[in-house]
């Protein structure tokens, strides 16, 4: 619902049976004339399949949705796929979700950058482990004693051998896996007596037997001992419980935890509480996700707010805020996750409005000017919410889409770019591309509009009084277009918008229209 997916397949030569017989001189030659694939006659060929070639979109409701596999390779979820994107070559590799699952819920990458773990929602939640070198699935993990349908957070241990997973409601099970053997070492119900929601789990980077979980009024540590996860004394027993929203282990192995009201709490490596950082933003929901790097850590919150904190020489200050920026056009959106590249020059940022940005962390760029640092789209801008209409152009490598975000977009599927994005006041339900590539037909909530596609704009040319048109199609020659008006199909001349025919016959709303190759007939 949040992605436009391009599919590629083999070409197919189509002829009807009589034409084949005439050309072959009888029945015997029919199979010889059918197209061949890899030397196999199509008569005996396996069924043709479709494979994703490129995905425009980001699934933003996934925990830890961004990870760098290499300096120029980013992992992120799109639709029901985990995508490995090459920034330099603009190419994508896909790790497709299992057919029986209902979507991806969490992703994590191993410290060695070799393995990626993907959690998926289903009757019994599953975790798939993929090898990024061979691009193959290594293991599929499921635990029958976990009552939840999903895992909400994942984390590899520092030696890459173990995986910690946090299940969702109703039992909030924390499961410690020896993933290569698909074996559960230990599990425990990690929430409090009230079953409060939990958000994140992690393994101490220097001590793989120490696990941490945070959530709504819950901050707990567990020690793996004798095949069980034993809870440790509460480090914040003297403080009033509050919603803990995010946490990260710093490069010096200390722990920072963010709270709903914007406090940043510092703990030592053993989990002992040290202080509330003086640099805490203390703004409601300003620290909802967090990432660490060698100089400090980064927080993200509501309204696209990003703050960078670096180590300070002042022992009282500990950290100081060096960058405070808001992503443009991110009103009403929150930062969902970060990824820092191995060289620490690029910060990838994912937002709840399904946009993916990059930001330079290089010291020279951050110090260049007093102005807010620049955030650029990492691929291109995407739709926010459902894509409602789509059509391709016959003569150009272009595709048009319209969505619930009230935008109409034109994409170049060879260059893999968004050529044009135009926002409107009304929602658009359907779109059709003229064969020439110069005109678009868009079904808005109030009218059907014929629009001219210019270099950097989309301008209305004619308006047809059809409200909320959910299906429209240009003829193959482009001289006509057909539009669904409730249970009637209306056919118009393209260049004058004169009506040619009203086709009545359906007893309910028309869902789909298709012109035959010679434009003499319509199938609906």
């Amino acid at each position: 619902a949040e992605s436009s997916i391009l599919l590629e397949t083999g070409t197919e030569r189509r002829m009807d049976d009589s034409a084949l017989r005439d050309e072959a001189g009888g029945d015997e030659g029919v199979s010889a004339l059918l197209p061949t694939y890899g030397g196999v006659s199509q008569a005996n060929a396996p069924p043709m399949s479709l494979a994703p070639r490129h995905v425009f979109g980001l699934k933003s409701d996934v925990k830890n949705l961004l990870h760098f596999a290499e300096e120029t390779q980013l992992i992120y979820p799109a639709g029901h796929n985990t995508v490995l994107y090459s920034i330099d070559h603009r190419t994508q590799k896909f790790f497709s979700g299992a057919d029986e699952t209902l979507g991806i819920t969490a992703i994590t990458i191993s410290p060695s950058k070799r393995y990626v773990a993907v959690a998926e929602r289903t009757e019994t939640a599953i975790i798939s482990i993929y090898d990024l070198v061979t691009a193959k699935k290594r293991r599929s993990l499921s635990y029958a004693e976990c009552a939840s349908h999903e895992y909400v957070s994942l984390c590899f241990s520092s030696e890459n051998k173990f995986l910690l997973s946090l299940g969702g409601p109703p039992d909030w099970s924390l499961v410690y896996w020896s993933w290569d053997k698909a074996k559960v070492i230990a599990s425990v119900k990690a929430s409090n007596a009230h079953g409060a929601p939990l958000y994140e789990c992690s393994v101490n980077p220097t001590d793989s037997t120490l696990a941490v979980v945070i959530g709504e009024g819950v901050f707990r540590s567990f020690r793996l001992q004798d095949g069980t996860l034993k809870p440790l004394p509460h480090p914040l027993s003297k403080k009033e419980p509050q919603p803990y929203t995010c946490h990260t282990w710093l490069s010096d192995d200390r722990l920072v935890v963010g709270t709903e009201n914007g406090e940043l709490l510092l703990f030592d490596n053993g989990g002992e509480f040290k202080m509330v950082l003086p640099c805490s933003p203390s703004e409601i929901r300003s620290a909802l996700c967090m990432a660490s790097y060698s100089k400090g850590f980064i927080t993200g919150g509501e309204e696209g707010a990003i703050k960078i904190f670096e180590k300070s020489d002042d022992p009282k200050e500990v950290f100081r805020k060096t960058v405070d920026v808001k992503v443009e056009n991110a009103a009403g959106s929150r930062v969902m996750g970060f990824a820092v590249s191995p060289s620490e020059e690029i910060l990838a940022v994912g937002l709840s409005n399904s946009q993916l940005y990059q930001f330079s962390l290089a010291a020279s760029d951050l110090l260049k000017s007093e102005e807010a640092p620049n955030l650029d789209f990492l691929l291109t801008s995407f739709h926010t919410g459902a894509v409602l209409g789509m059509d391709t152009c016959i003569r150009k490598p272009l595709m048009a889409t319209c969505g619930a975000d009230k935008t109409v977009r034109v994409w170049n599927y060879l260059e893999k770019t968004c050529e044009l994005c135009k926002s409107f006041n009304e929602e658009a339900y359907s779109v059709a591309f003229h064969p020439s590539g110069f005109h678009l037909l868009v079904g808005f909530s109030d009218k059907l509009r014929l629009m001219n596609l210019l270099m950097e704009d989309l301008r209305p040319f004619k308006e047809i009084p059809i409200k909320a048109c959910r299906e429209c199609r240009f003829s193959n020659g482009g001289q006509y277009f057909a539009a669904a008006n409730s249970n009637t199909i209306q056919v118009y001349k393209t260049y004058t918008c004169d009506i040619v025919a009203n086709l009545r016959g359906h007893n309910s709303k028309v869902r789909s229209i298709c012109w035959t190759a010679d434009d003499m007939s319509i199938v609906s």
Side-chain angles (χ1 to χ4, degrees):
E2 292 181 356
S3 305
S4 305
I5 300 181
L6 299 177
L7 301 170
E8 67 172 4
T9 181
T11 55
E12 184 178 347
R13 184 179 173 202
R14 299 183 184 278
M15 298 181 82
D16 62 48
D17 286 349
S18 59
L20 282 169
R21 287 191 185 90
D22 292 343
E23 191 169 329
D27 290 343
E28 295 81 5
V30 172
S31 62
L33 276 168
L34 287 166
T36 59
Y37 297 94
V40 180
S41 164
Q42 197 193 330
N44 306 314
M48 196 180 289
S49 62
L50 295 170
R53 181 178 178 182
H54 192 84
V55 178
F56 294 108
L58 173 72
K59 182 175 169 57
S60 59
D61 60 346
V62 173
K63 194 68 183 176
N64 296 334
L65 70 168
L66 303 177
H67 301 275
F68 274 97
E70 292 177 12
E71 185 61 31
T72 60
Q73 288 193 340
L74 184 73
I75 293 169
Y76 63 92
H80 202 169
N81 306 280
T82 303
V83 178
L84 178 62
Y85 176 67
S86 170
I87 298 171
D88 284 350
H89 302 110
R90 300 179 74 89
T91 56
Q92 295 176 335
K93 283 184 183 174
F94 300 94
F95 301 97
S96 297
D99 290 343
E100 69 275 10
T101 63
L102 301 174
I104 296 167
T105 57
I107 297 175
T108 192
I109 193 169
S110 64
S112 66
K113 308 289 188 188
R114 167 123 193 210
Y115 305 106
V116 63
V118 181
E120 296 178 70
R121 186 184 293 111
T122 183
E123 192 64 33
T124 302
I126 64 167
I127 302 168
S128 301
I129 314 281
Y130 297 96
D131 187 323
L132 294 176
V133 175
T134 62
K136 291 182 178 176
K137 186 188 284 192
R138 276 287 295 268
R139 285 288 179 273
S140 185
L141 312 175
S142 67
Y143 185 44
E145 291 181 37
C146 176
S148 176
H149 300 317
E150 62 183 337
Y151 289 106
V152 297
S153 182
L154 304 172
C155 182
F156 277 100
S157 66
S158 55
E159 63 271 64
N160 309 298
K161 289 182 181 177
F162 305 107
L163 179 72
L164 189 69
S165 65
L166 177 61
D171 58 349
W172 304 101
S173 294
L174 188 67
V175 186
Y176 200 96
W177 306 80
S178 173
W179 66 263
D180 204 27
K181 299 173 184 173
K183 179 184 172 186
V184 173
I185 296 174
S187 72
V188 66
K189 288 180 172 54
S191 189
N192 57 18
H194 308 295
L198 302 180
Y199 303 136
E200 293 182 350
C201 68
S202 68
V203 180
N204 186 316
T206 57
D207 181 359
S208 293
T209 65
L210 186 65
V212 169
V213 297
I214 62 161
E216 193 75 25
V218 179
F219 176 74
R220 301 184 74 185
S221 301
F222 296 87
R223 173 77 66 188
L224 180 66
Q225 209 169 359
D226 303 325
T228 58
L229 285 164
K230 296 182 178 177
L232 298 177
H234 198 301
L236 294 172
S237 54
K238 294 177 184 176
K239 283 180 72 73
E240 186 71 26
Q242 54 180 319
Y244 304 102
T245 52
C246 56
H247 74 298
T248 189
W249 293 92
L250 303 175
S251 57
D252 58 8
D253 303 323
R254 290 183 292 178
L255 177 68
V256 176
V257 177
T259 70
E260 177 95 11
N261 61 13
E263 282 187 343
L264 300 173
L265 314 178
L266 184 66
F267 298 80
D268 67 12
N269 185 258
E272 185 183 336
F273 175 63
K274 290 298 181 185
M275 66 190 298
V276 176
L277 292 175
C279 60
S280 297
S282 298
E283 300 163 10
I284 298 295
R285 295 179 66 77
S286 60
L288 298 176
C289 62
M290 203 178 279
S292 65
Y293 72 123
S294 62
K295 294 179 183 176
F297 62 94
I298 305 153
T299 66
E302 294 285 5
E303 304 299 320
I306 299 169
K307 296 174 172 59
I308 299 179
F309 301 87
E310 292 186 0
K311 293 170 189 169
S312 171
D313 298 330
D314 185 344
K316 291 180 182 176
E317 195 178 36
V318 190
F319 288 91
R320 60 188 177 86
K321 184 167 66 178
T322 56
V323 173
D324 189 347
V325 64
K326 284 193 175 182
V327 181
E328 278 186 41
N329 304 317
S333 301
R334 56 174 280 201
V335 180
M336 299 299 288
F338 296 113
V340 180
S341 67
S343 70
E344 300 192 341
E345 290 192 355
I346 300 171
L347 175 70
V349 183
L351 265 63
S352 61
N353 63 2
S354 302
Q355 304 305 321
L356 189 53
Y357 293 93
Q358 63 180 351
F359 173 90
S360 176
L361 279 178
S364 56
D365 290 336
L366 293 178
L367 298 171
K368 261 179 193 171
S369 68
E370 297 294 315
E371 295 175 19
N374 244 354
L375 276 89
D376 302 314
F377 288 113
L378 207 142
L379 285 82
T380 184
S381 69
F382 300 136
H383 275 293
T384 302
V387 178
L388 301 176
M390 180 166 66
D391 196 20
T392 52
C393 179
I394 292 174
R395 297 178 192 166
K396 296 178 181 177
L398 300 177
M399 177 177 73
T401 57
C402 61
D405 55 4
K406 298 182 180 178
T407 64
V408 176
R409 296 167 189 258
V410 177
W411 313 80
N412 185 316
Y413 55 79
L414 290 186
E415 300 294 328
K416 297 159 188 169
T417 55
C418 182
E419 300 279 305
L420 177 70
C421 174
K422 176 102 178 192
S423 295
F424 294 91
N425 295 326
E426 304 86 24
E427 201 166 323
Y429 297 103
S430 60
V431 65
F433 221 134
H434 192 270
S436 67
F438 296 131
H439 315 289
L440 284 181
L441 197 58
V442 185
F444 290 100
S445 54
D446 60 342
K447 283 177 183 174
L448 179 68
R449 289 181 173 89
L450 181 61
M451 311 186 87
N452 289 332
L453 180 58
L454 309 180
M455 285 292 286
E456 294 180 355
D457 199 10
L458 196 56
R459 290 190 190 163
F461 169 62
K462 291 270 190 181
E463 294 184 343
I464 293 99
I466 301 176
K467 289 185 178 180
C469 176
R470 292 183 181 270
E471 177 73 345
C472 54
R473 283 281 176 266
F474 280 106
S475 63
N476 295 299
Q479 72 276 37
Y480 302 116
F481 65 83
N485 188 357
S486 188
N487 57 355
T488 303
I489 300 167
Q490 296 180 322
V491 182
Y492 294 84
K493 290 182 178 177
T494 298
Y495 301 106
T496 62
C497 289
D498 293 338
I499 195 158
V500 177
N502 284 301
L503 308 178
R504 296 183 177 91
H506 286 287
N507 294 324
S508 54
K509 287 184 180 179
V510 176
R511 292 181 181 273
S512 186
I513 298 169
C514 185
W515 291 82
T516 56
D518 59 5
D519 289 343
M520 296 300 287
S521 303
I522 287 174
V523 183
S524 63

